[in-house]
Amino acid sequence: QSVLTQPPSVSAAPGQKVTISCSGSSSNIGKNYVSWYHQLPGTAPKLLIYDNDKRPSGIPDRFSGSKSGTSATLGITGLQTGDEADYYCGTWDSSLSVVLFGGGTKLTVL
Amino acid sequence: EVQLLESGGGLVQPGGSLRLSCAASGFTFSDYTMSWVRQAPGKGLEWVSAIGGSGGTTYYTDSVKGRFTMSRDNSKNTLYLQMNSLRAEDTAVYYCARGWIQLWLFDYWGQGTLVTVSS
């Protein structure tokens, strides 16, 4: 059971929008930046969002991030079948001095 | 181009040892914190350990403290993970990842190496 809580799965139709939540506590999300990764089957994770809401070079603006208090949210608009993947949030826990990942959310584009 | 290439995975018996390596290229290796992140079959990501650029500071998740040792050789641009007293629950794909801006932010990942602990 992860310290950062994500829904196990979300789904939406192509072209629609979906959000994935990541809930933590005051010692992790409440104090530190959140990043988001996606992982296509059989491949390594890839950075999507950093510092809560910034996109690395090459990541389309269909992907967005936000943070409020002890929760963070990843948004994906204009869903494509290629977006089907597992999505993970990550941050640092200042009390435990460990890197945390959420349990992961499987996105299905119906 | 940044590249991270892990090696050293394989099948090992419970209680055995294994050393993973991660060869880095395409960037100034000593400038970056590095981490190992693992993923058990069908499971999510789990951070294992991190090391500062000079190698002087290390961090570990509780489940591997006292059993795993992370190190680096900046002259060889290589990262290591010495794993002792291996358990079945250590079975996973082990990724090395480069830390960027913050220790917990990973901008580049290797392709992973599979460690299987089984008798």
Side-chain angles (χ1 to χ4, degrees):
Chain A
Q1 189 172 348
S2 303
V3 175
L4 302 182
T5 302
Q6 295 182 233
S9 63
V10 295
S11 61
Q16 297 300 302
K17 174 182 177 178
V18 71
T19 60
I20 298 173
S21 60
C22 176
S23 178
S25 69
S26 59
S27 64
N28 42 69
I29 293 179
K31 271 189 175 165
N32 299 294
Y33 287 117
V34 176
S35 50
W36 289 91
Y37 305 86
H38 73 166
Q39 184 179 33
L40 299 171
T43 69
K46 179 180 178 181
L47 180 64
L48 274 182
I49 296 289
Y50 69 98
D51 288 2
N52 304 330
D53 57 10
K54 297 181 176 60
R55 284 176 287 106
S57 173
I59 300 300
D61 59 7
R62 299 189 299 108
F63 296 90
S64 63
S66 64
K67 187 182 102 167
S68 178
T70 59
S71 293
T73 302
L74 173 70
I76 311 172
T77 60
L79 278 171
Q80 304 171 2
T81 55
D83 295 330
E84 285 201 337
D86 293 321
Y87 290 80
Y88 297 90
C89 58
T91 190
W92 176 256
D93 192 293
S94 298
S95 294
L96 301 174
S97 294
V98 296
V99 178
L100 297 176
F101 289 105
T105 299
K106 183 176 183 62
L107 169 63
T108 301
V109 181
L110 302 168
Chain B
E1 179 193 4
V2 172
Q3 289 193 331
L4 300 171
L5 185 62
E6 302 95 337
S7 61
L11 175 64
V12 61
Q13 292 188 338
S17 298
L18 211 56
R19 188 176 85 153
L20 305 183
S21 300
C22 172
S25 61
F27 64 101
T28 304
F29 184 61
S30 59
D31 283 350
Y32 291 85
T33 296
M34 299 293 296
S35 278
W36 288 98
V37 177
R38 67 185 179 183
Q39 187 169 34
K43 302 296 185 183
L45 303 175
E46 180 187 24
W47 173 79
V48 174
S49 60
I51 189 167
S54 66
T57 304
T58 52
Y59 302 87
Y60 298 93
T61 191
D62 281 350
S63 63
V64 308
K65 281 180 183 175
R67 300 189 300 123
F68 290 12
T69 302
M70 187 175 183
S71 62
R72 64 193 297 163
D73 185 336
N74 287 343
S75 68
K76 295 182 179 179
N77 290 346
T78 303
L79 186 70
Y80 303 101
L81 185 66
Q82 177 67 43
M83 304 185 295
N84 299 330
S85 302
L86 282 162
R87 306 166 180 166
E89 53 265 36
D90 296 318
T91 294
V93 173
Y94 284 72
Y95 297 100
C96 65
R98 189 178 83 165
W100 179 50
I101 303 177
Q102 302 113 17
L103 179 153
W104 64 92
L105 173 59
F106 309 116
D107 61 345
Y108 285 95
W109 299 65
Q111 86 292 344
T113 187
L114 177 62
V115 172
T116 303
V117 184
S118 174
S119 55

